[in-house]
């Protein structure tokens, strides 16, 4: 009894590299797609007169990867 298995895949991708002032090297890099969002934290309370108050505690920017397998190609200059 015997068997074999193989998988082969190939691809090519190109981006025209434009001159950038003060930069001499450029490389093409694949990045995983991400989304940037701002999260804001609030506290809620009632005062002695039963009035509702909302207080902003703080806000922070986050960058998170997307769930799907989505890649983005870009150029990095050095």
């Amino acid at each position: 009894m015997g068997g074999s298995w193989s998988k082969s895949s190939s691809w090519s991708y190109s981006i025209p590299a434009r001159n950038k002032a003060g930069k001499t090297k450029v490389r093409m890099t694949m990045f995983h797609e991400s989304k940037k969002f701002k999260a804001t934290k609030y506290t809620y309370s009632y005062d002695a007169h039963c009035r509702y108050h909302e207080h902003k505690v703080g806000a922070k920017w986050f960058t998170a990867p997307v769930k799907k397998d989505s890649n983005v190609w870009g150029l990095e200059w050095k």
Side-chain angles (χ1 to χ4, degrees), residues 51-66:
R51 285 187 290 228
Y52 180 77
H53 294 282
E54 176 181 283
H55 305 280
K56 183 176 176 181
V57 176
K60 187 176 179 181
W61 282 96
F62 292 94
T63 303
V66 295

Side-chain angles (χ1 to χ4, degrees), residues 27-45:
R27 67 178 171 187
M28 186 169 65
T29 309
M30 183 177 67
F31 302 94
H32 186 74
E33 184 182 357
S34 61
K35 299 290 182 186
K36 190 171 186 178
F37 62 94
K38 187 176 185 180
T40 306
K41 186 175 182 180
Y42 294 92
T43 60
Y44 305 98
S45 62

